[in-house]
Amino acid sequence: MEDALHQMTEPYDAVRAAREGRNLALQSRRTMGLNDLLTRRPELRGVSTWSEEIAESVLWSA
């Protein structure tokens, strides 16, 4: 019985591992893309933090 259950979960585990691998690869590409952008355009550093602060300020004032 345990062997049959193990065989049933193997494809699910493989699908989950493949999905996690794709997600990690996507995050890596995004991070590398952001790093490349900030290398080329250093004036953009801090823009994300600034925009998050503005959004938070608007939420608090609403």
Side-chain angles (χ1 to χ4, degrees):
M1 181 71 173
E2 287 181 22
D3 189 43
L5 181 60
H6 180 70
Q7 288 177 352
M8 289 173 50
T9 59
E10 281 181 359
Y12 174 76
D13 292 341
V15 168
R16 187 173 63 189
R19 183 176 296 131
E20 289 173 359
R22 283 192 307 273
N23 289 343
L24 182 58
L26 179 59
Q27 285 179 322
S28 295
R29 285 193 304 275
R30 286 179 178 162
T31 301
M32 291 186 71
L34 178 59
N35 186 42
D36 182 47
L37 175 64
L38 292 176
T39 299
R40 290 183 285 124
R41 302 275 310 272
E43 70 274 12
L44 295 177
R45 291 185 188 276
V47 170
S48 176
T49 303
W50 178 80
S51 63
E52 289 171 6
E53 289 173 3
I54 295 297
E56 186 175 327
S57 173
V58 169
L59 287 173
W60 276 103
S61 65

